[in-house]
Amino acid sequence: MSAPSKVAAKPAGAAKDSQCAEESGPPDSPAFILALDVGTTCVRSFVLDEQCEVRGSAVDAVELLNPQPGYFEIEPESLWRKIVGVITQAVKNAQLTPPDITCLTISTQRCTFLTWDHRSGEYYHNFITWKDLRADELVDQWNASWTKSSMNWFSYALFLLTRQSRFLAGSVLQLMNGQALMQKKARVELLDSWILHKLRTGSSRDKDVEHITDVTSSTATGLYDPFTLSWSPLISWLFGINSKILPRVVDNGYKGFGHVHPTAFGPDWANTEIPIAASLSDQTAAIWGSQCFQKNDVKVTMGTGAFLNLVTGDRCQAVISGMYPLVAWQFKKPTRQQGAVYCIEGASHDFGTVVTWAQSCELFDSPANTSDIAQSVPDTNDVFFMPAFSGLGPPVNDYRSASGFIGLTPSTTKAHMVRALLESIVFRLVQLIEAAEKETSQKLHMIRVDGGVSRNDFVCQFLADLSRLRVERADNAESSIMGATFMAGINLGIWRDVNDLKRFRKVARVFEPRPKEYETIANRMDKWSRTIARFSDWY
């Protein structure tokens, strides 16, 4: 079935920024969407047509700097060169020219920030990524502080008086390391706002384009209040941050994202003015890519970390288990000014990281082999692994937990250890699923998985058996790219609404739970859960 086409990018000067997401007249040329996804480990760019078929792509590794233990940084100009490189190469690989591109859409990792002087281009430090742990001591001090305790009691009292759930969330406030922005003298850029600035200014001298971030990127920082849909007034009191140095938050249907500056990508792009049709966080992109558009839809991204997102509808759901409420996406409408759809999220930060570490320890040659290795033994021979390089998130919430194997004996083989590793990351996922069900008082029936680890059949089947839920894996693993493409296409009028996107959802396999397996593996998870105390509060 053919989707409506759009005109290609217009020559420079043919359109204004405020018109970049408006629908145009009858189609007269094919649409080609250029999608950029900036993740933790790689930068990817894909060119897709209006049938969502990939016409060309390019990938480059992100150089993650580790100057001290617990520090995880990215040098910004090196990252920008990689972004330019994959975008230009993807267009070449698609056998297209820059004027053929209809629009650009971007998806970025969240909670990664820097401070700089945007006019001079002077950076005060590298990007500090979401994996960075340097603020843990500050977090512990705040979590134990009189100020935080007072906030807890005050928020709980407000909840009892008003029954407004946002005060209940405040009563169990925990300050994560993504909330440690302390600079007062510099402009703060989230990764998406910095990329938008670089895209829109190129090498020109005019650096005063609008300082903006999209709502799905800001909502994950902990500084943005999803209940009021604004930067929290508490950030000035708690952290001494003047909110004026933060980017203005815009919705996902914003019509002022502007255009790619003709000098941004080199001389081949000089006569183009390509609209930026969408900007969204990687997890929102994965939600859209998995087509989780209805209340109680849930997706699990299995990448560097594992992120579970459960759509909760048009009301923000307070959570107290260590999960957190977020704006899943927002399109402001004249008839309903808010237009926000919410989700709750839980994360296990060590997922793909565990697999990568195990490979570096030579437990296996390739991650692609781990499924067969795990299935070569009937169980782990009572060996268990604790996947806690970054501590244990919700619902355990022990960020001083250690990683390690327990139960090793002379009869333990590599296969037992590999299986224990894979089982452990599924145990953490099931903890998140159970917490999500408890928070929402809903029984889930199916989860959609994406990300590199979702290609592992053993992990998906073990997850289905233990959670007793159907696990659906799409044919296309690039959910962030697909989600960013979907949102851009709707913003530009290539597709009318989310119902138009259903034709692009192709399921590769559904893993059905096997009831006969449940009791055995549930007992294993119970025993694994008891080992948490052995690794607890280690650091």
Side-chain angles (χ1 to χ4, degrees), residues 100-133:
D100 294 324
I101 300 301
T102 306
C103 66
L104 174 69
T105 180
I106 63 175
S107 160
T108 61
Q109 59 175 287
R110 308 167 307 174
C111 298
T112 293
F113 73 95
L114 59 72
T115 54
W116 72 329
D117 183 336
H118 69 285
R119 291 187 177 90
S120 69
E122 178 187 0
Y123 296 102
Y124 296 115
H125 56 83
N126 288 333
F127 272 111
I128 297 175
T129 75
W130 63 275
K131 289 179 67 66
D132 198 275
L133 301 175

Side-chain angles (χ1 to χ4, degrees), residues 140-158:
D140 289 341
Q141 291 172 2
W142 269 104
N143 282 340
S145 69
W146 178 87
T147 303
K148 184 255 186 177
S149 298
S150 300
M151 287 178 60
N152 288 359
W153 282 106
F154 180 67
S155 296
Y156 188 60
L158 286 174

Side-chain angles (χ1 to χ4, degrees), residues 16-23 251 253-258 491:
K16 299 297 183 183
D17 281 3
S18 61
Q19 298 171 327
C20 72
E22 293 180 357
E23 294 186 15
D251 70 293
Y254 187 57
K255 298 185 184 302
F257 283 122
N491 280 345

Side-chain angles (χ1 to χ4, degrees), residues 324-474:
Y324 35 91
L326 299 173
V327 179
W329 65 86
Q330 181 187 27
F331 291 93
K332 290 184 177 179
K333 301 177 182 178
T335 56
R336 188 181 65 168
Q337 191 61 30
Q338 302 273 49
V341 174
Y342 296 91
C343 68
I344 61 172
E345 179 175 281
S348 175
H349 292 308
D350 295 309
F351 208 80
T353 310
V354 169
V355 178
T356 302
W357 169 81
Q359 183 180 10
S360 71
C361 294
E362 300 182 352
L363 287 180
F364 46 83
D365 295 327
S366 168
N369 300 331
T370 57
S371 180
D372 290 339
I373 294 171
Q375 294 180 84
S376 69
V377 289
D379 54 43
T380 65
N381 197 28
D382 244 12
V383 173
F384 297 94
F385 181 75
M386 193 56 58
F389 293 122
S390 302
L392 293 174
V396 180
N397 300 314
D398 178 4
Y399 294 95
R400 293 185 175 276
S401 181
S403 294
F405 286 100
I406 192 169
L408 297 175
T409 66
S411 62
T412 299
T413 66
K414 281 188 178 182
H416 292 132
M417 297 173 72
V418 169
R419 182 166 180 137
L421 281 164
L422 298 184
E423 287 190 359
S424 74
I425 60 179
V426 174
F427 292 154
R428 285 289 294 124
L429 270 183
V430 172
Q431 285 184 322
L432 292 176
I433 292 168
E434 291 174 346
E437 289 182 328
K438 184 176 181 181
E439 290 282 10
T440 59
S441 301
Q442 297 290 330
K443 175 60 181 172
L444 304 179
H445 300 287
M446 181 184 71
I447 55 177
R448 292 175 173 175
V449 296
D450 65 272
V453 184
S454 72
R455 302 293 104 182
N456 188 299
D457 288 351
F458 174 81
V459 168
C460 291
Q461 186 60 61
F462 196 73
L463 176 60
D465 293 339
L466 186 55
S467 66
R468 293 188 282 188
L469 302 174
R470 297 171 69 239
V471 174
E472 184 180 282
R473 184 172 69 195

Side-chain angles (χ1 to χ4, degrees), residues 181-240:
L181 300 173
M182 299 295 289
Q183 286 283 350
K184 295 181 180 179
K185 297 181 180 180
R187 178 163 125 170
V188 175
E189 297 284 11
L190 303 181
L191 181 56
D192 73 307
S193 67
W194 176 79
I195 291 175
L196 285 169
H197 178 90
K198 298 282 282 185
L199 288 171
R200 297 169 72 184
T201 60
S203 60
S204 72
R205 293 183 178 181
D206 181 12
K207 301 298 182 183
D208 287 325
V209 296
E210 192 176 17
H211 187 207
I212 54 176
T213 180
D214 98 278
V215 67
T216 67
S217 293
S218 61
T219 189
T221 62
L223 303 177
Y224 187 83
D225 187 344
F227 293 95
T228 63
L229 294 173
S230 63
W231 291 115
S232 172
L234 294 177
I235 63 178
S236 177
W237 176 43
L238 289 176
F239 305 107

Side-chain angles (χ1 to χ4, degrees), residues 36-38 105-110 192 196 214-217 252 257 277-289 328-329 479-488 491:
L36 171 69
D37 179 48
V38 183
T105 180
I106 63 175
S107 160
T108 61
Q109 59 175 287
R110 308 167 307 174
D192 73 307
L196 285 169
D214 98 278
V215 67
T216 67
S217 293
N252 296 113
F257 283 122
S279 176
L280 61 162
S281 73
D282 54 0
Q283 296 311 314
T284 289
I287 291 172
W288 272 61
W329 65 86
S479 61
S480 294
I481 290 288
M482 296 302 294
T485 300
F486 291 159
M487 188 174 286
N491 280 345

